[in-house]
Amino acid sequence: MIIDFHTHAFPDALAERAMAGLVKSVHDAQMGFPEIMYADGTAAGLVRRMEKAGVDRSVLLPVATKPSQPDGINKWARELSENDPRIIPFGAFYPDETFEEQLEILAAKGYKGIKLHGDFQGFYADDPRMIGIYRRCGEYGLIIVHHAGLDCVSPRDIHVTPERMARVLDRVTGVKFVLAHMGGNCLEDRAAELLAGAEGLWVDTAYAANRFTPEKMTELIGKFGADKVLFASDSPWNDPADDISLIRETFLSEEEKECIFHKNAEKLLGIT
């Protein structure tokens, strides 16, 4: 069993344009990141990649970049999941003054969590206005997946850093946070130093393949604890097959690998 905790897709009519814009952001940032996509950005493309890699279920993490977007995105994602239960959609959410109503609706409809992206949504992790959002998510039992660390759309202004998340965790309890990219893209060591062992905090392996050796991945997982790491690919930006190979090549025990591949996700999501 393999659960990919971090994937993306777009409605068919938007996928080509959305992917082209994101690839352009990677190119314009000139940071040496590969300008490669491993799927076409559609839901069908995600499923084809899942099937080829042997992924059983994928968590879809839509990002709303405007206040007008969540309703339409969530309708599309919910229909997608109803047609293919292998897809587990998190709710699209925009952090504005309507957050109370948005979160109430998402909780009532049974969403497992939300995806936040400070670079696209214009906030820093420890902004005072975000604290109320985090606490309300905790009350509703909604998991928060944060993009963490560097992003090509804002390469010189990192919105979710280990230091900012440490300040959040000092103020917020009872909330389940997942920090993508091993706690912070290009900030993984600092994240492990500051955040390892924090209550209510998990990290995912999104975008780790082709960046880390098995030795380095073993080291990072060891710092966070295998029970706090979730397998993730960041598809279509990585091929889940490559991420699977990376975890299998680490020096972890088979039980630890099983925890990362699916047991931690099952427990966090409350599924079997």
Side-chain angles (χ1 to χ4, degrees), residues 101-166:
E101 179 183 0
Q102 291 186 69
L103 295 177
E104 182 179 4
I105 291 171
L106 291 173
K109 291 186 175 180
Y111 286 91
K112 299 291 185 179
I114 63 171
K115 170 68 183 292
L116 293 174
H117 200 309
D119 304 279
F120 280 101
Q121 296 177 321
F123 68 85
Y124 295 97
D126 56 346
D127 280 355
R129 67 187 177 98
M130 298 303 297
I131 300 300
I133 292 173
Y134 301 150
R135 289 175 175 158
R136 188 65 76 201
C137 285
E139 292 170 8
Y140 283 126
L142 292 168
I143 302 162
I144 298 171
V145 178
H146 259 305
H147 169 81
L150 190 66
D151 190 278
C152 290
V153 76
S154 180
R156 293 167 185 82
D157 187 11
I158 301 175
H159 288 72
V160 180
T161 64
E163 290 80 5
R164 290 186 183 278
M165 278 307 303

Side-chain angles (χ1 to χ4, degrees), residues 85-223:
R86 292 175 295 178
I87 304 298
I88 304 170
F90 272 32
F93 170 84
Y94 194 82
D96 62 9
E97 66 277 1
T98 69
F99 78 88
E100 295 269 9
E101 179 183 0
Q102 291 186 69
L103 295 177
E104 182 179 4
I105 291 171
L106 291 173
K109 291 186 175 180
Y111 286 91
K112 299 291 185 179
I114 63 171
K115 170 68 183 292
L116 293 174
H117 200 309
D119 304 279
F120 280 101
Q121 296 177 321
F123 68 85
Y124 295 97
D126 56 346
D127 280 355
R129 67 187 177 98
M130 298 303 297
I131 300 300
I133 292 173
Y134 301 150
R135 289 175 175 158
R136 188 65 76 201
C137 285
E139 292 170 8
Y140 283 126
L142 292 168
I143 302 162
I144 298 171
V145 178
H146 259 305
H147 169 81
L150 190 66
D151 190 278
C152 290
V153 76
S154 180
R156 293 167 185 82
D157 187 11
I158 301 175
H159 288 72
V160 180
T161 64
E163 290 80 5
R164 290 186 183 278
M165 278 307 303
R167 290 193 284 271
V168 169
L169 295 172
D170 283 342
R171 297 187 60 189
V172 176
T173 60
V175 182
K176 296 174 181 177
F177 288 101
V178 176
L179 293 187
H181 314 298
M182 292 304 292
N185 192 18
C186 298
L187 299 173
E188 300 87 0
D189 288 314
R190 184 61 171 159
E193 178 185 348
L194 287 183
L195 304 174
E199 183 179 353
L201 179 74
W202 289 257
V203 298
D204 76 29
T205 68
Y207 208 62
N210 306 314
R211 295 185 58 235
F212 297 125
T213 64
E215 291 82 3
K216 183 61 178 180
M217 199 63 177
T218 303
E219 175 193 330
L220 287 170
I221 293 170
K223 290 178 178 178

